[in-house]
Protein backbone atom coordinates (compact mmCIF):
# COMPACT_ATOMS: atom_id res chain seq x y z
CA UNK A 1 0.00 0.00 0.00
CA UNK A 2 1.39 3.38 -1.03
CA UNK A 3 1.71 6.00 1.71
CA UNK A 4 2.65 9.62 1.17
CA UNK A 5 3.77 11.91 3.97
CA UNK A 6 4.12 15.64 3.35
CA UNK A 7 6.09 18.09 5.44
CA UNK A 8 7.44 21.62 5.26
CA UNK A 9 4.32 23.77 5.34
CA UNK A 10 3.87 26.75 7.61
CA UNK A 11 3.33 30.48 7.85
CA UNK A 12 5.49 32.74 5.71
CA UNK A 13 5.42 36.40 4.77
CA UNK A 14 4.78 37.50 1.19
CA UNK A 15 7.97 37.22 -0.84
CA UNK A 16 9.28 34.43 1.35
CA UNK A 17 10.14 30.84 0.54
CA UNK A 18 9.17 27.37 1.70
CA UNK A 19 10.23 23.89 0.68
CA UNK A 20 7.71 21.06 0.82
CA UNK A 21 8.72 17.42 0.92
CA UNK A 22 6.73 14.28 0.19
CA UNK A 23 8.13 10.91 1.18
CA UNK A 24 6.60 7.87 -0.50
CA UNK A 25 6.62 4.36 0.90
CA UNK A 26 5.17 1.16 -0.47
CA UNK A 27 5.71 2.19 -4.09
CA UNK A 28 7.52 -0.05 -6.57
CA UNK A 29 11.23 0.34 -7.07
CA UNK A 30 10.76 2.17 -10.37
CA UNK A 31 9.70 5.80 -9.96
CA UNK A 32 6.11 6.88 -10.51
CA UNK A 33 4.79 10.18 -11.80
CA UNK A 34 4.17 12.52 -8.88
CA UNK A 35 2.76 15.97 -8.38
CA UNK A 36 1.67 18.69 -6.01
CA UNK A 37 -1.87 20.01 -5.81
CA UNK A 38 -3.23 22.98 -3.91
CA UNK A 39 -6.66 23.53 -2.42
CA UNK A 40 -7.49 27.04 -1.29
CA UNK A 41 -10.52 27.76 0.90
CA UNK A 42 -13.76 27.43 -1.09
CA UNK A 43 -11.82 26.33 -4.18
CA UNK A 44 -11.34 23.03 -5.93
CA UNK A 45 -8.07 21.16 -5.68
CA UNK A 46 -5.82 22.26 -8.54
CA UNK A 47 -2.63 20.87 -10.03
CA UNK A 48 0.38 23.06 -9.26
CA UNK A 49 3.33 21.04 -10.52
CA UNK A 50 4.09 17.53 -11.67
CA UNK A 51 7.11 15.46 -12.53
CA UNK A 52 7.24 12.31 -14.62
CA UNK A 53 9.17 9.19 -13.77
CA UNK A 54 11.92 10.46 -16.11
CA UNK A 55 12.06 13.92 -14.54
CA UNK A 56 10.03 15.95 -17.03
CA UNK A 57 8.22 18.77 -15.24
CA UNK A 58 5.34 21.10 -15.89
CA UNK A 59 3.65 23.80 -13.88
CA UNK A 60 0.46 25.75 -13.53
CA UNK A 61 0.76 29.21 -15.06
CA UNK A 62 0.20 30.79 -11.66
CA UNK A 63 3.46 29.35 -10.26
CA UNK A 64 5.76 29.24 -13.29
CA UNK A 65 9.10 30.85 -12.55
CA UNK A 66 8.48 30.77 -8.78
CA UNK A 67 8.03 27.09 -7.90
CA UNK A 68 10.30 24.17 -8.73
CA UNK A 69 9.40 20.50 -8.42
CA UNK A 70 12.15 17.92 -8.12
CA UNK A 71 12.59 14.34 -7.01
CA UNK A 72 15.17 12.12 -5.38
CA UNK A 73 14.42 8.60 -6.54
CA UNK A 74 16.91 7.06 -4.10
CA UNK A 75 14.90 8.55 -1.23
CA UNK A 76 11.47 8.10 -2.89
CA UNK A 77 10.88 11.78 -2.18
CA UNK A 78 9.52 14.65 -4.22
CA UNK A 79 10.07 18.28 -3.32
CA UNK A 80 8.39 21.60 -4.09
CA UNK A 81 10.59 24.66 -3.70
CA UNK A 82 8.34 27.71 -3.47
CA UNK A 83 9.87 31.17 -3.86
CA UNK A 84 8.39 34.66 -4.06
CA UNK A 85 5.30 33.44 -2.28
CA UNK A 86 2.08 35.43 -2.58
CA UNK A 87 -1.04 35.51 -0.39
CA UNK A 88 -2.92 33.70 -3.16
CA UNK A 89 -0.57 30.73 -2.73
CA UNK A 90 -2.27 30.05 0.60
CA UNK A 91 -3.92 26.66 0.84
CA UNK A 92 -3.47 23.02 1.70
CA UNK A 93 -0.84 21.36 -0.47
CA UNK A 94 -1.29 17.70 -1.32
CA UNK A 95 1.22 15.28 -2.74
CA UNK A 96 0.01 12.89 -5.42
CA UNK A 97 1.46 9.68 -6.84
CA UNK A 98 0.10 7.90 -9.88
CA UNK A 99 0.48 4.17 -10.31
CA UNK A 100 -1.36 2.88 -13.35
CA UNK A 101 -5.02 3.87 -13.05
CA UNK A 102 -4.73 4.70 -9.35
CA UNK A 103 -4.09 7.99 -7.56
CA UNK A 104 -2.61 8.13 -4.08
CA UNK A 105 -2.71 11.22 -1.85
CA UNK A 106 -0.94 12.49 1.21
CA UNK A 107 -2.73 14.06 4.15
CA UNK A 108 -1.88 17.60 3.06
CA UNK A 109 0.23 20.34 4.58
CA UNK A 110 -1.00 23.88 5.22
CA UNK A 111 0.80 26.82 3.64
CA UNK A 112 -0.24 30.30 4.73
CA UNK A 113 1.24 33.39 3.13
CA UNK A 114 0.41 36.44 5.19
CA UNK A 115 2.02 39.48 6.72
Amino acid sequence: QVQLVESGGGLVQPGGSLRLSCAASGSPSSPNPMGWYRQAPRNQRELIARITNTGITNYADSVKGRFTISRDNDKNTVYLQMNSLKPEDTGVYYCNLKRGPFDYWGQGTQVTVSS
Side-chain angles (χ1 to χ4, degrees):
Q1 181 70 21
V2 174
Q3 289 187 320
L4 304 174
V5 179
E6 299 110 332
S7 60
L11 172 64
V12 63
Q13 292 187 342
S17 297
L18 282 174
R19 188 192 195 207
L20 305 183
S21 300
C22 172
S25 61
S27 58
S29 57
S30 58
N32 300 101
M34 297 184 71
W36 287 95
Y37 288 69
R38 175 174 70 203
Q39 187 163 18
R42 300 177 295 280
N43 285 358
Q44 291 185 333
R45 194 174 297 188
E46 60 173 342
L47 176 64
I48 295 301
R50 58 186 174 189
I51 185 166
T52 69
N53 54 338
T54 58
I56 297 171
T57 60
N58 61 356
Y59 300 90
D61 287 344
S62 59
V63 306
K64 279 181 182 176
R66 299 187 298 122
F67 291 11
T68 303
I69 188 170
S70 61
R71 64 190 303 158
D72 183 334
N73 291 333
D74 291 337
K75 297 181 179 179
N76 290 326
T77 300
V78 66
Y79 305 96
L80 186 67
Q81 177 66 43
M82 305 186 294
N83 298 328
S84 303
L85 282 160
K86 305 176 181 180
E88 52 263 43
D89 294 318
T90 293
V92 180
Y93 285 67
Y94 295 92
C95 179
N96 169 269
L97 181 149
K98 296 187 181 297
R99 183 196 290 180
F102 302 107
D103 280 280
Y104 298 89
W105 297 92
Q107 81 286 355
T109 185
Q110 176 71 42
V111 172
T112 302
V113 185
S114 175
S115 55

